[in-house]
Amino acid sequence: MQTSPQAGATGLPPATETRLQVLMVGLGNEIFAIETDMVREIIDPVPVTRVAGARAFLPALVNVRGNVIPLADLRIRFGMPKTQATADTRIVVIEVDIDGDPVTLGLLADKVYEVTEISTRQMQQTPRLGSHWRPEFIRFITKWSDEFVIVPDMSRILG
Protein backbone atom coordinates (compact mmCIF):
# COMPACT_ATOMS: atom_id res chain seq x y z
CA MET A 1 0.00 0.00 0.00
CA GLN A 2 1.37 3.38 -0.98
CA THR A 3 0.13 6.76 0.14
CA SER A 4 0.86 10.14 -1.35
CA PRO A 5 -0.54 13.58 -0.68
CA GLN A 6 -2.69 14.97 -3.49
CA ALA A 7 -3.64 18.58 -3.93
CA GLY A 8 -7.35 19.14 -3.60
CA ALA A 9 -8.75 20.18 -6.98
CA THR A 10 -11.87 21.60 -5.38
CA GLY A 11 -10.14 23.98 -3.01
CA LEU A 12 -10.57 21.54 -0.14
CA PRO A 13 -7.55 20.58 1.96
CA PRO A 14 -5.25 18.09 0.23
CA ALA A 15 -6.51 14.53 0.47
CA THR A 16 -4.32 11.50 0.96
CA GLU A 17 -4.40 8.97 -1.84
CA THR A 18 -3.87 5.34 -0.94
CA ARG A 19 -2.94 2.83 -3.58
CA LEU A 20 -3.81 -0.80 -2.93
CA GLN A 21 -2.40 -3.80 -4.76
CA VAL A 22 -5.37 -6.10 -5.35
CA LEU A 23 -6.45 -9.30 -7.06
CA MET A 24 -9.49 -8.76 -9.26
CA VAL A 25 -12.03 -11.54 -8.81
CA GLY A 26 -15.36 -11.96 -10.57
CA LEU A 27 -18.59 -13.22 -9.02
CA GLY A 28 -21.42 -13.05 -11.52
CA ASN A 29 -21.42 -9.59 -13.06
CA GLU A 30 -19.63 -8.06 -10.06
CA ILE A 31 -15.89 -7.53 -9.71
CA PHE A 32 -14.27 -7.62 -6.30
CA ALA A 33 -10.83 -6.33 -5.41
CA ILE A 34 -9.14 -8.49 -2.77
CA GLU A 35 -5.98 -7.06 -1.25
CA THR A 36 -2.99 -9.14 -2.29
CA ASP A 37 -1.65 -9.05 1.28
CA MET A 38 -4.26 -11.64 2.21
CA VAL A 39 -4.05 -13.82 -0.95
CA ARG A 40 -1.92 -16.96 -0.50
CA GLU A 41 -2.56 -18.74 -3.79
CA ILE A 42 -5.06 -19.38 -6.56
CA ILE A 43 -5.91 -22.99 -7.35
CA ASP A 44 -8.14 -24.92 -9.71
CA PRO A 45 -11.30 -26.36 -8.14
CA VAL A 46 -10.66 -29.45 -5.99
CA PRO A 47 -13.04 -32.03 -4.52
CA VAL A 48 -15.03 -30.67 -1.57
CA THR A 49 -16.34 -32.35 1.55
CA ARG A 50 -19.73 -31.02 2.61
CA VAL A 51 -20.10 -30.27 6.33
CA ALA A 52 -23.48 -30.93 7.93
CA GLY A 53 -24.68 -28.02 10.05
CA ALA A 54 -22.07 -25.60 8.70
CA ARG A 55 -22.94 -21.98 8.05
CA ALA A 56 -24.61 -21.65 4.64
CA PHE A 57 -21.82 -19.59 3.10
CA LEU A 58 -19.13 -21.95 4.48
CA PRO A 59 -20.64 -25.20 3.25
CA ALA A 60 -17.57 -27.35 2.73
CA LEU A 61 -13.93 -28.14 3.42
CA VAL A 62 -11.16 -28.57 0.86
CA ASN A 63 -7.71 -30.08 1.05
CA VAL A 64 -5.05 -27.62 -0.08
CA ARG A 65 -1.56 -29.11 -0.03
CA GLY A 66 -2.37 -31.33 2.92
CA ASN A 67 -4.16 -28.63 4.93
CA VAL A 68 -7.92 -28.83 5.38
CA ILE A 69 -9.49 -25.37 5.08
CA PRO A 70 -13.06 -24.06 4.92
CA LEU A 71 -14.43 -23.11 1.51
CA ALA A 72 -16.50 -19.92 1.41
CA ASP A 73 -19.14 -19.27 -1.23
CA LEU A 74 -19.66 -15.52 -1.20
CA ARG A 75 -22.57 -15.89 -3.63
CA ILE A 76 -24.57 -17.35 -0.76
CA ARG A 77 -23.39 -14.63 1.67
CA PHE A 78 -24.46 -11.91 -0.77
CA GLY A 79 -27.72 -13.56 -1.82
CA MET A 80 -26.59 -14.08 -5.40
CA PRO A 81 -27.97 -16.96 -7.46
CA LYS A 82 -25.89 -20.13 -7.42
CA THR A 83 -24.23 -21.11 -10.69
CA GLN A 84 -22.39 -24.14 -11.99
CA ALA A 85 -18.60 -24.19 -12.09
CA THR A 86 -17.05 -23.28 -15.42
CA ALA A 87 -13.57 -23.54 -16.92
CA ASP A 88 -12.85 -20.13 -15.32
CA THR A 89 -13.86 -21.13 -11.77
CA ARG A 90 -11.02 -20.91 -9.25
CA ILE A 91 -10.46 -21.09 -5.51
CA VAL A 92 -8.62 -18.09 -4.08
CA VAL A 93 -6.88 -19.12 -0.87
CA ILE A 94 -6.68 -16.20 1.55
CA GLU A 95 -5.62 -15.59 5.11
CA VAL A 96 -7.86 -13.16 6.95
CA ASP A 97 -7.85 -11.95 10.54
CA ILE A 98 -11.09 -12.94 12.28
CA ASP A 99 -11.52 -11.94 15.93
CA GLY A 100 -7.77 -11.50 16.25
CA ASP A 101 -6.82 -14.89 14.81
CA PRO A 102 -5.45 -15.54 11.31
CA VAL A 103 -7.76 -17.90 9.43
CA THR A 104 -6.91 -19.53 6.09
CA LEU A 105 -9.81 -20.34 3.80
CA GLY A 106 -10.72 -20.68 0.17
CA LEU A 107 -13.08 -18.39 -1.73
CA LEU A 108 -14.98 -19.64 -4.76
CA ALA A 109 -14.51 -17.24 -7.69
CA ASP A 110 -16.24 -17.36 -11.05
CA LYS A 111 -13.16 -15.80 -12.61
CA VAL A 112 -9.81 -14.39 -11.54
CA TYR A 113 -8.73 -11.44 -13.66
CA GLU A 114 -5.39 -9.96 -12.65
CA VAL A 115 -3.30 -8.34 -9.97
CA THR A 116 -3.39 -4.57 -10.29
CA GLU A 117 -3.43 -1.36 -8.29
CA ILE A 118 -6.47 0.65 -7.39
CA SER A 119 -6.62 4.07 -5.85
CA THR A 120 -8.75 5.43 -3.07
CA ARG A 121 -8.80 8.69 -5.01
CA GLN A 122 -12.00 7.63 -6.79
CA MET A 123 -13.39 5.94 -3.71
CA GLN A 124 -17.14 6.14 -3.28
CA GLN A 125 -19.39 5.18 -0.43
CA THR A 126 -21.64 2.17 -0.82
CA PRO A 127 -25.06 3.31 -2.00
CA ARG A 128 -27.81 2.58 0.54
CA LEU A 129 -30.39 2.08 -2.18
CA GLY A 130 -30.24 -0.02 -5.33
CA SER A 131 -27.61 -2.37 -4.02
CA HIS A 132 -28.13 -5.88 -2.76
CA TRP A 133 -24.82 -5.72 -0.85
CA ARG A 134 -24.94 -5.14 2.85
CA PRO A 135 -23.02 -1.87 3.38
CA GLU A 136 -21.12 -3.25 6.37
CA PHE A 137 -19.57 -5.90 4.11
CA ILE A 138 -18.06 -3.30 1.77
CA ARG A 139 -15.03 -1.14 2.62
CA PHE A 140 -15.57 1.06 -0.42
CA ILE A 141 -16.30 1.10 -4.14
CA THR A 142 -13.83 2.50 -6.67
CA LYS A 143 -13.20 2.49 -10.41
CA TRP A 144 -10.94 0.15 -12.35
CA SER A 145 -10.76 0.27 -16.15
CA ASP A 146 -14.01 2.27 -16.31
CA GLU A 147 -15.83 -0.29 -14.17
CA PHE A 148 -16.87 -0.04 -10.56
CA VAL A 149 -15.22 -2.60 -8.33
CA ILE A 150 -16.10 -3.54 -4.78
CA VAL A 151 -13.44 -3.68 -2.10
CA PRO A 152 -14.98 -6.09 0.43
CA ASP A 153 -14.35 -6.15 4.16
CA MET A 154 -13.42 -9.83 4.35
CA SER A 155 -13.23 -9.91 8.17
CA ARG A 156 -16.83 -8.77 8.48
CA ILE A 157 -18.06 -10.99 5.66
CA LEU A 158 -16.47 -14.12 7.06
CA GLY A 159 -16.67 -13.36 10.79
Side-chain angles (χ1 to χ4, degrees):
M1 176 169 43
Q2 297 175 330
T3 59
S4 62
Q6 299 291 317
T10 61
L12 297 173
T16 300
E17 178 183 14
T18 301
R19 300 191 67 75
L20 299 173
Q21 188 172 34
V22 296
L23 174 69
M24 295 299 190
V25 173
L27 273 182
N29 294 327
E30 307 286 350
I31 299 175
F32 293 85
I34 299 174
E35 290 182 65
T36 56
D37 291 351
M38 66 176 62
V39 176
R40 297 295 169 249
E41 62 183 305
I42 301 163
I43 61 173
D44 290 334
V46 295
V48 301
T49 301
R50 297 276 171 204
V51 178
R55 295 167 83 177
F57 67 97
L58 293 168
L61 300 172
V62 293
N63 185 335
V64 178
R65 305 186 196 292
N67 296 310
V68 177
I69 62 172
L71 181 64
D73 188 343
L74 296 182
R75 287 179 162 281
I76 295 171
R77 187 67 162 160
F78 291 137
M80 298 172 72
K82 191 165 177 68
T83 61
Q84 296 295 317
T86 69
D88 291 328
T89 300
R90 297 290 181 270
I91 295 174
V92 179
V93 179
I94 66 168
E95 184 175 298
V96 62
D97 186 70
I98 298 176
D99 296 329
D101 294 320
V103 176
T104 302
L105 57 95
L107 298 175
L108 277 174
D110 291 340
K111 186 172 185 170
V112 173
Y113 292 96
E114 65 180 285
V115 173
T116 188
E117 276 192 351
I118 59 171
S119 170
T120 58
R121 191 175 197 190
Q122 296 177 328
M123 179 173 71
Q124 298 184 15
Q125 294 297 315
T126 306
R128 296 263 173 211
L129 297 173
S131 172
H132 56 276
W133 310 108
R134 292 175 51 179
E136 65 268 24
F137 289 167
I138 299 172
R139 288 180 54 203
F140 60 90
I141 295 173
T142 191
K143 289 195 104 176
W144 170 69
S145 300
D146 295 328
E147 292 189 54
F148 286 105
V149 297
I150 298 164
V151 180
D153 187 331
M154 298 307 286
S155 294
R156 286 190 176 176
I157 293 169
L158 300 168

